Amino acid sequence: MKEHSISPEISAQALAARVQELGEQISKDYADKAPLRIIGTLKGSFIFLADLIRAIRIPVKVDFMEVSSYGNTMASSGNIKIVKDLSHDISGENVIIAEDIIDTGLTLNNVMSMLYTRNPASLEIVSLLVKSQKMKLDFPVKYTGFDIEDHFVVGYGLDYQGYLRNLPYIGSISPDFPAASYVRKE
Ligand code: IMP
Ligand code: MG
């Protein structure tokens, strides 16, 4: 039987250090811009968002939104469906969308266009990971955690078939990875 494993790519320590830097930067950039609202895109960004807001020193409010695009595969469809909309009015607010990963950028492009129609005072993006070589659209990503190569990654909120979000670090797997039955040893 084939031994499956997760190849570590970004350690929990490296993630924590980078998220801290992003929080410091946002705190500086938005010091004179209130109110600040961070919108987490569910489900992938929930761990990143939880760590990021604790690294932000200025007053900040949070909301969530869920759009679906991928299904259970590893390829982007570009089809977006709003599964859960925001529960607050963002007009007049300085909004930062917190994304787990920007792959083709198709998902975020749809989210951005929709949010612009709600008249935020400003709208920016913070993405933990960006596959910049693969991005099909030219995005103004103001804050990037890590720029990564074009391959499929999991962990720290990112899933494969709904699993592996609980991995404390970012790693890569092969498409035949048995996510539903894999038990982490450490
Ligand atoms: P995009 O529309 O191609 O930018 O896809 C964005 C969404 O696809 C992300 O928010 C993730 O939910 C998912 N995604 C893209 N690449 C990966 C990956 O490498 N691992 C896990 N999820 C991914
Ligand atoms: Mg996502």
Side-chain angles (χ1 to χ4, degrees), residues 2-176:
K2 185 176 167 189
E3 264 287 326
H4 288 278
S5 64
I6 303 172
S7 318
E9 301 217 354
I10 307 172
S11 69
Q13 291 79 359
L15 287 167
R18 187 68 189 120
V19 171
Q20 189 61 37
E21 286 174 359
L22 291 172
E24 299 283 352
Q25 192 60 51
I26 289 171
S27 305
K28 264 190 221 152
D29 295 350
Y30 286 80
D32 301 318
K33 281 193 187 175
L36 172 61
R37 167 93 61 191
I38 309 249
I39 296 176
T41 54
L42 294 171
K43 309 180 177 68
S45 73
F46 80 104
I47 294 179
F48 171 47
L49 182 106
D51 285 344
L52 179 67
I53 60 163
R54 282 177 285 180
I56 292 177
R57 299 163 190 273
I58 59 173
V60 58
K61 295 191 282 188
V62 168
D63 203 349
F64 291 97
M65 181 164 180
E66 182 169 7
V67 297
S68 72
S69 66
Y70 260 38
N72 267 349
T73 71
M74 286 183 176
S76 189
S77 64
N79 300 321
I80 309 295
K81 194 177 84 189
I82 294 184
V83 180
K84 182 214 170 290
D85 205 340
L86 299 176
S87 43
H88 297 87
D89 179 9
I90 55 164
S91 66
E93 294 187 337
N94 292 289
V95 175
I96 303 178
I97 305 172
E99 261 286 13
D100 49 350
I101 185 164
I102 302 176
D103 184 350
T104 60
L106 295 171
T107 307
L108 198 52
N109 191 46
N110 281 267
V111 171
M112 293 278 282
S113 330
M114 197 195 61
L115 294 184
Y116 268 125
T117 67
R118 301 181 185 185
N119 302 313
S122 62
L123 186 58
E124 300 289 355
I125 301 164
V126 57
S127 188
L128 177 69
L129 307 174
V130 177
K131 295 180 187 172
S132 66
Q133 301 160 334
K134 195 172 168 199
M135 266 204 298
K136 288 188 178 150
L137 302 153
D138 206 4
F139 266 122
V141 185
K142 186 157 185 188
Y143 307 100
T144 298
F146 300 88
D147 199 326
I148 63 165
E149 302 278 311
D150 176 19
H151 65 302
F152 196 80
V153 292
V154 294
Y156 195 70
L158 289 103
D159 74 304
Y160 179 52
Q161 299 178 340
Y163 293 99
L164 299 170
R165 297 190 196 278
N166 54 322
L167 196 67
Y169 57 92
I170 300 280
S172 60
I173 53 168
S174 55
D176 62 346

